[in-house]
Amino acid sequence: MSAELPPQIQNQVAQLQQLQQQAQALAVQRSQLELALNEAKQTLAELDKLDEKAVIFKTVGTILVRSNKDQVNGELTEKKETYEVRLKSLERQEERVQTRFQQLQQQLQKALGGGTAPQGA
Amino acid sequence: MASEQEVRVILSQLQQSEAEARAYEQQMEIVSFTISEIENAVVAVEALSKPDIGKETLIPIGANSFVYGTIPQTNRVIIGLGANVSAEVDVTDAVSYLTERKKKLTEMQGQFAARLNQIGSQIYSLQSKLQTVQSQLKATPDV
C-alpha cells in the first residue's frame, strides 16, 4: 500500500511510527522510574519508623553491608530527588513527542484528504 | 454497516485487551509468589524464636544440598525494607511488618483479580462483536 503513496507522505508515516516507538520507550522508562521513586518513598517512610540507633544494612552486590539510619536516609533522599528530577524531564520529553505526533498526524490526515492516520503515541 | 475497517478496529482492541490481561496475569503470579515467600518467612521467624528450637540448622546451598550451620541469635531478624535497604528488628516487629506487607499484597491481588475479570468481560464482548460483524460481512454481497 505504501508503494502507492508519494515519498513525502511515506516519510511522514515513517516519522509517525518512529515517534510512536519513542513514546512507547519513554512510557516504559517513566513507569520504571515511578516504581523506583515509590520504592524509595516507601523505604524512607519505613526508616522513619525505626529508632535512631537501629541497625541498618545496605545491599551491595550479593552481600549486606552495615550502615546507619542517617547515612541511608541521606542517600535515599538524594536518590529520591534524582528520580523526581528525571521523572519531570521524562514527562517534558513525553509531552514534546506527543505534541509532535499530533502535529504530524494532522498534517498526514490533511495530506491524505481527511483519511485516518495511525492512532495514539 | 459492517466493514473491513470495523473488523480491524475490533481485532486491534481485542489484541490490546489480551495483552493487558496477560500483563495482569503475570503481575498476579509475582504477587502470589511474594505472598507465599512472606508466609514462609513468617513461619521461619516464628519457629526460630521458640525456645525449644535448636540453634543448629541446615543451610541450603542449592541443588537440595545443605551444610551445617548455627544461628547465634534467633530473637533478631533482618528484614528488607526495599530500595536495597534492610533493618534489624525483633521477632514481633518482623512478624508484624511481614504481615502488613502480606495484607497490602493481598489487597493488590484482589484489585488485580477484579481488573482481570473486567478485561475478561471486555474480551468476551469484543469476541461476540467480532463474530457479529464478520457474519454481517459474509452476508453482505460484494458491490
Side-chain angles (χ1 to χ4, degrees):
Chain A
M1 182 195 165
S2 59
E4 299 159 12
L5 295 170
Q8 199 198 343
I9 302 281
Q10 280 185 36
N11 185 28
Q12 280 181 330
V13 170
Q15 275 185 49
L16 208 61
Q17 282 168 345
Q18 249 179 18
L19 282 170
Q20 204 168 13
Q21 282 168 4
Q22 220 176 320
Q24 278 164 358
L26 285 172
V28 170
Q29 278 182 48
R30 180 166 50 84
S31 133
Q32 284 169 346
L33 255 182
E34 278 170 350
L35 277 178
L37 179 63
N38 278 340
E39 196 181 358
K41 279 182 183 170
Q42 273 170 22
T43 308
L44 278 168
E46 288 300 334
L47 273 175
D48 208 38
K49 292 180 199 162
L50 296 172
D51 189 79
E52 282 308 309
K53 288 179 184 168
V55 179
I56 306 287
F57 295 91
K58 283 191 303 184
T59 306
V60 181
T62 52
I63 57 167
L64 295 181
V65 177
R66 181 133 181 202
S67 185
N68 61 65
K69 192 180 165 180
D70 269 355
Q71 195 186 340
V72 171
N73 228 326
E75 285 172 5
L76 216 51
T77 309
E78 208 174 301
K79 243 186 201 174
K80 189 191 94 174
E81 285 164 2
T82 312
Y83 290 151
E84 281 166 345
V85 171
R86 278 170 56 194
L87 198 60
K88 273 187 190 147
S89 144
L90 260 184
E91 280 166 357
R92 277 197 297 270
Q93 251 178 290
E94 267 190 306
E95 271 172 35
R96 277 199 296 270
V97 170
Q98 186 71 35
T99 314
R100 180 75 193 116
F101 183 90
Q102 280 164 356
Q103 282 172 349
L104 206 58
Q105 197 179 29
Q106 279 169 7
Q107 280 175 18
L108 252 179
Q109 277 171 352
K110 250 188 200 170
L112 293 170
T116 349
Q119 290 295 305
Chain B
M1 175 67 80
S3 66
E4 293 282 350
Q5 170 71 11
E6 206 175 337
V7 171
R8 275 199 293 274
V9 170
I10 298 172
L11 275 174
S12 146
Q13 286 171 343
L14 206 53
Q15 278 169 357
Q16 264 180 23
S17 297
E18 281 167 353
E20 206 184 338
R22 274 196 299 276
Y24 273 106
E25 276 165 2
Q26 281 170 1
Q27 292 288 324
M28 277 183 74
E29 266 177 42
I30 296 171
V31 172
S32 291
F33 178 75
T34 313
I35 288 176
S36 115
E37 262 197 325
I38 291 175
E39 283 167 351
N40 283 338
V42 171
V43 169
V45 166
E46 283 177 339
L48 283 170
S49 66
K50 283 178 187 158
D52 56 328
I53 290 272
K55 289 184 175 178
E56 192 171 294
T57 55
L58 292 174
I59 300 164
I61 54 165
N64 208 19
S65 310
F66 301 83
V67 291
Y68 283 103
T70 49
I71 303 173
Q73 261 197 62
T74 50
N75 59 338
R76 307 289 290 168
V77 182
I78 314 295
I79 50 165
L81 303 178
N84 289 334
V85 177
S86 305
E88 186 191 286
V89 291
D90 63 26
V91 170
T92 319
D93 283 348
V95 171
S96 69
Y97 176 81
L98 290 167
T99 310
E100 184 58 30
R101 219 156 75 181
K102 185 185 155 189
K103 194 179 143 199
K104 281 183 188 164
L105 286 167
T106 310
E107 281 169 11
M108 200 186 269
Q109 203 177 30
Q111 287 164 3
F112 284 168
R115 182 70 192 121
L116 200 58
N117 213 10
Q118 272 181 355
I119 301 169
S121 312
Q122 262 174 28
I123 290 176
Y124 180 75
S125 93
L126 280 169
Q127 278 168 341
S128 40
K129 199 173 160 186
L130 185 66
Q131 273 177 359
T132 315
V133 174
Q134 277 174 333
S135 47
Q136 276 174 1
L137 264 180
K138 271 184 200 159
T140 314
D142 288 339
V143 182

